Amino acid sequence: MCNSLAPAPYRASADAAEEKDSRRQYPPAPEPLPVAVMDNHTHLDFRHGLIEVSVKDAMDSAEAVGVQGAVQVGCDLESSRFTVQAVDADSRLLGAVAIHPNDAPEYAARGELESALAEIEELARHPRIRAIGETGLDFFRTHGDGLAHQRYSFRRHIDIAKRLGLTLQIHDRDAHDDVVQVLREEGAPERVVFHCFSGDEELARICNRNGWYMSFAGTMTFKNAGNLRAALAIAEPSRILVETDSPFLTPHPHRGKPNASYMVPYTVRSMADVTGDDLSELCSRLAENTLTAYGSWA
């Protein structure tokens, strides 16, 4: 069951709604969840839809459907600075800061990677910044000499997370084996989250053995994502999380449109279909797992 309209802050004006590109309009709100959960990964500073939504309005819309909190994630210095401001402005947010693996080579090319990493470490000392991320490896968008800078940056982020006692949020695209290898070589932090889990049953088993969290996004609802559903089916229940990665990766049946934290319920219901769990029990487990991974929102 869905409401006929997106939440008020996400509704385009009449003129904007008449634009030919309807893909940029936000989908309708889902039926609220019976037990509140948290969006483990969002980018509130990124704009993808027709309109710009404030942090407060975004979280109000999410809370109305049972998404009581979120982890706002930085990908570069600008978005990491925004993250610190956002967690100060709204108590429903915790934060993560990092240099994204695809940005690390660009910082290195400008001779700014070391200073950027130093600032990330300073930003990460804020009490509501609970994770270093998103960091990791991306073999889809970065190739050649840039990969060496990715690996170096990933190792440095691991070190920061360990020294500050923070969770590590991993971006892993087409690089499963190499991500696992680096984690083993460096020694993983106490809490590791594979953001937007993109692996298969083999990676899920590795995460199970190591106690690493698997965060499932709207991608697991896609028709061609059988590997993700198979991984979720065998994932240790205490190690699963849910996220949007908004404004990207909008779940079925609204794939291709802008995403937002208020759409978490679509993914949670699909997860319950895969795991066979009662929806309320799954929501409670996701909330508990998220608190274990990041600490209290209070």
Side-chain angles (χ1 to χ4, degrees), residues 33-234:
L33 292 171
V35 176
V37 301
M38 299 83 155
D39 179 359
N40 163 73
H41 190 111
T42 185
H43 302 281
L44 294 172
D45 51 324
F46 291 178
R47 179 175 173 179
H48 186 49
L50 288 172
I51 56 178
E52 186 173 353
V53 179
S54 71
V55 169
K56 180 182 184 303
D57 284 345
M59 294 312 301
D60 285 349
S61 297
E63 191 170 20
V65 295
V67 183
Q68 66 181 356
V71 180
Q72 157 63 29
V73 180
C75 292
D76 56 19
L77 288 182
E78 183 179 1
S79 61
S80 293
R81 292 165 186 156
F82 170 90
T83 296
V84 171
Q85 295 172 353
V87 299
D88 274 337
D90 198 308
S91 62
R92 292 168 292 187
L93 293 176
L94 296 179
V97 295
I99 303 299
H100 192 282
N102 289 319
D103 290 324
E106 297 179 9
Y107 278 93
R110 298 193 299 266
E112 298 173 357
L113 183 56
E114 292 300 335
S115 61
L117 290 169
E119 183 171 345
I120 290 297
E121 181 166 351
E122 286 307 306
L123 292 171
R125 296 182 186 278
H126 187 288
R128 295 191 68 80
I129 300 299
R130 303 291 178 78
I132 298 297
E134 57 188 282
T135 181
L137 299 174
D138 188 317
F139 293 172
F140 180 79
R141 286 176 52 195
T142 298
H143 307 91
D145 294 341
L147 295 178
H149 297 302
Q150 274 198 1
R151 292 178 187 277
Y152 173 77
S153 179
F154 185 24
R155 293 177 190 275
R156 288 290 306 278
H157 281 86
I158 292 172
D159 176 63
I160 294 170
K162 289 165 66 175
R163 286 190 290 102
L164 298 186
L166 298 176
T167 301
L168 185 74
Q169 268 205 7
I170 290 178
H171 172 101
D172 164 23
R173 189 166 188 186
D174 295 349
H176 308 322
D177 292 344
D178 292 76
V179 165
V180 171
Q181 179 181 351
V182 172
L183 286 172
R184 287 172 172 164
E185 290 175 354
E186 295 297 315
E190 181 180 352
R191 298 172 303 281
V192 172
V193 176
F194 276 72
H195 136 67
C196 189
F197 183 86
S198 60
D200 53 14
E201 291 175 85
E202 180 181 0
L203 184 59
R205 291 189 180 95
I206 291 172
C207 290
N208 285 343
R209 288 197 298 270
N210 288 277
W212 297 337
Y213 291 93
M214 293 160 271
S215 180
F216 290 89
T219 45
M220 64 81 51
T221 72
F222 298 171
K223 292 181 180 179
N224 62 349
N227 64 309
L228 300 182
R229 290 185 286 275
L232 174 60
I234 67 165

